[in-house]
């Protein structure tokens, strides 16, 4: 388990719950049962623990087709080409075929490499948006245009105006709950939003960017929020100290 995921889990324990069960080390997620939507070509890699999307085309999603709220998700993403400069990322709270669903309601985490005028101005950088309806090859997906169903909620703290780099592998960690979504890149918190988020699946997202590899995906169920037992207040200072020590050595 990566340090960031451990910190998220310890943070959750302090905030709301004590788990009496030892957590098993997460296993890489088997992607062979995931579903592809839209105009992509998602090619499972040997072992079914990685997938590469190969087409420069309209929005496409590859998702786990189950409710994923209350989980912490992690893995690596790499663009394996120097060609093009477009969108890579994730969806949260997605339901099958939402790309073409006029009633769709989910979160889009997208990251563009370079600025580009096409359907409006597509800006480089990492952001999170609310999708409310069909997501197509238009100013919604390209420029986060609310009139085409995409409303940008926040841009990343450090990477909000910074594109991804060709052939560089990024670690990501995502916390997905009904009221909080956080995104860490290489262990650094980049996005944190609160709200009332709809349930649905976790998935990968590409728009107009070929040769995007997703690998090492892990999913851990977060401790559910329950009233904090008195013992938690005894443990919390020790845990905080522990996390503080870990953060200093990053
Ligand atoms: Ca490029
Ligand atoms: Ca482009
Ligand atoms: Ca393109």
């Amino acid at each position: 388990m990566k340090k960031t995921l451990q910190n998220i889990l310890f943070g959750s324990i302090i905030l709301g719950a004590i788990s009496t069960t030892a957590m098993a080390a997460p296993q890489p997620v088997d992607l062979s049962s995931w579903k592809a939507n839209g105009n992509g070509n998602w090619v499972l890699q040997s072992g079914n623990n990685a997938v590469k999307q190969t087409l420069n085309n309209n929005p496409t999603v590859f998702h786990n087709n189950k409710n994923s709220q209350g989980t912490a998700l992690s893995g690596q993403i790499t663009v394996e080409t120097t060609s093009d400069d477009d969108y890579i990322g994730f969806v949260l709270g997605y339901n099958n075929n939402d790309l073409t669903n006029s009633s769709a309601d989910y979160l889009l985490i997208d990251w563009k490499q370079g600025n580009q005028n096409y359907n409006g101005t597509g800006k480089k950088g990492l952001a999170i948006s609310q999708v409310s309806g069909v997501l197509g090859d238009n100013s919604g997906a390209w420029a986060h245009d609310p009139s085409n169903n995409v409303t940008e909620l926040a841009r990343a703290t450090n990477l909000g105006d910074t594109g991804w780099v060709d052939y560089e592998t990024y670690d990501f960690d995502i916390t997905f709950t009904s009221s909080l979504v956080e995104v860490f890149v290489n262990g650094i918190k980049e996005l944190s939003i609160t709200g009332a988020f709809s349930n649905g699946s976790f998935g990968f997202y590409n728009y107009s960017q070929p040769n995007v590899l997703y690998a090492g995906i892990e999913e851990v169920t977060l401790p559910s929020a329950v009233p904090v037992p008195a013992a938690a207040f005894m443990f919390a200072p020790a845990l905080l100290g522990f996390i503080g020590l870990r953060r200093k050595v990053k």
Side-chain angles (χ1 to χ4, degrees), residues 9-20:
L9 291 169
F10 280 120
S12 299
I13 289 166
I14 291 166
L15 287 172
I18 287 290
S19 172
T20 54

Side-chain angles (χ1 to χ4, degrees), residues 79 81-85 113 164 166 209:
V79 179
T81 176
T82 57
S83 173
D84 223 335
D85 58 359
Q113 184 178 44
W164 48 264
D166 302 335
Q209 180 58 51

Side-chain angles (χ1 to χ4, degrees), residues 14-48:
I14 291 166
L15 287 172
I18 287 290
S19 172
T20 54
T21 314
M23 281 177 295
Q27 301 298 308
V29 171
D30 182 343
L31 303 172
S32 61
S33 63
W34 287 34
K35 289 198 179 303
N37 289 171
N39 300 94
N41 179 40
W42 296 89
V43 181
L44 283 171
Q45 309 293 291
S46 176
N48 294 334

Side-chain angles (χ1 to χ4, degrees), residues 56-57 84-86 116 142 207-210:
N56 172 28
N57 210 324
D84 223 335
D85 58 359
D86 293 323
Q116 186 178 356
W142 192 261
Y207 174 27
S208 195
Q209 180 58 51

